[in-house]
Every structure is written in C-alpha cells, then in structure tokens.
Amino acid sequence: MSLAIAKEIEGIVLPTISYGNSFSWAEGWTSTISLSQGRLAEVVYDIGKAVAQKGARYLIVFNGHGSNPPDLIIGSKRLKEDYSDLEILMVEWWAAGASAISVLKESDAESHSGEFETSVMMYLAPEMVREDRFIAGYADYLPSIFYQYLIVKSGGGDKIKR
C-alpha cells in the first residue's frame, strides 16, 4: 500500500520501524521485545520532524501492530502542534476493509495467524503460508490473554452466501 501511494504522489517510503509497543503481552513471551510506553511516540515525532524540516507536506504512518496506536497518536499530535502545515495520516492495514472483513470471515474470533491475517498472506505471498500447519478450531488454541486484549469479534451483517 505504501509503495502504491508513494508512486501516485511522487513520494518516498521510509524504512520500517522494526520495534513497537507490545506492553500488553510482552511478559511471558520469550521472543517479544517491546519499546517502553511512549518511546514509539518519540520515534514518530523525531522522524516526522526530520521530514517536515526537509519540506515534506504529507506524512502517512502505516501501523502494523495493534498496541502501537496510543504512541502513534501521541507522536503525531505533538508533531502536528509543532508543524501545523504537515498533513499526517495514520493507516492501520487491517482497518482498511474492516466492514467487508466482518462479513466475509467465517471465524468468530481473530488473532495472529488467524483466518484474516492468513488470508492476506495467502494473497500477498502464498509461498510463505504453510498450509500443512493449519489447525482446525484455531481459536480454541489461543492463550487467554488474546481474548482479553486482542480478539476482534465478527461484527454486523450476514455472511456472504458462497
């Protein structure tokens, strides 16, 4: 998405920020590394400040992680206060088609590597999807923490008839 937009507006795509805020489930997950609360806001502010000072008029922040929005919003608001001419848009890739997803998906619950994320990967990079590892009843295997913080319940609308 970012490459397509950049091409249309003759913009550039900056490198991905590989770390974010995983405060809600970092403890007990041995491979999860989280920035401190507020740190990502500072990173967004610093990057936005640098591009604004170089004459950028627009900054689109693509978010790829569910716990990042508080920091992204805080960093963007502070940036907007200091650089009022800079137009800032925050995009969460999973929200772009949320209304269609709620109608199309068959599972009641969703999380990492669930129906939605797997479907996106099957479209974008099917060679990376290991169909031999699919688990029927996936939601039954999710840790309880997902139900407390991360599960997106299917909303409104009838299922599309296939």
Side-chain angles (χ1 to χ4, degrees):
M1 253 179 9
S2 59
L3 292 172
I5 291 171
K7 184 177 179 181
E8 286 294 317
I9 65 172
E10 297 180 10
I12 61 169
V13 176
L14 298 175
T16 301
I17 299 170
S18 298
Y19 294 96
N21 194 328
S22 296
F23 63 91
S24 61
W25 64 91
E27 189 174 316
W29 294 76
T30 57
S31 61
T32 300
I33 298 172
S34 180
L35 297 179
S36 300
Q37 188 83 37
R39 181 73 61 218
L40 185 58
E42 295 299 318
V43 171
V44 168
Y45 178 82
D46 287 346
I47 291 170
K49 175 182 171 183
V51 298
Q53 289 175 341
K54 292 175 182 4
R57 297 177 302 156
Y58 305 99
L59 177 63
I60 302 173
V61 179
F62 281 91
N63 178 31
H65 185 59
S67 291
N68 288 338
D71 278 2
L72 297 177
I73 291 167
I74 290 167
S76 296
K77 283 185 174 184
R78 184 171 162 223
L79 192 58
K80 187 67 176 170
E81 288 171 2
D82 292 349
Y83 299 91
S84 60
D85 291 341
L86 184 65
E87 295 295 330
I88 305 167
L89 173 66
M90 190 174 94
V91 177
E92 294 174 322
W93 66 271
W94 59 86
S99 60
I101 293 163
S102 69
V103 174
L104 292 170
K105 72 187 195 103
E106 296 174 0
S107 57
D108 290 330
E110 187 62 45
S111 185
H112 295 299
S113 299
E115 178 186 357
F116 172 58
E117 286 188 1
T118 301
S119 296
V120 169
M121 289 305 296
M122 288 177 80
Y123 175 77
L124 294 175
E127 71 282 358
M128 295 183 73
V129 178
R130 297 181 59 184
E131 293 185 47
D132 61 311
R133 309 255 333 246
F134 284 5
I135 298 173
Y138 171 79
D140 297 336
Y141 295 93
L142 295 174
S144 62
I145 192 168
F146 283 133
Y147 288 102
Q148 296 170 24
Y149 299 107
L150 304 175
I151 296 298
V152 178
K153 300 284 183 186
S154 59
D158 294 329
K159 303 270 187 211
I160 291 178
K161 307 279 188 274
R162 297 193 198 297

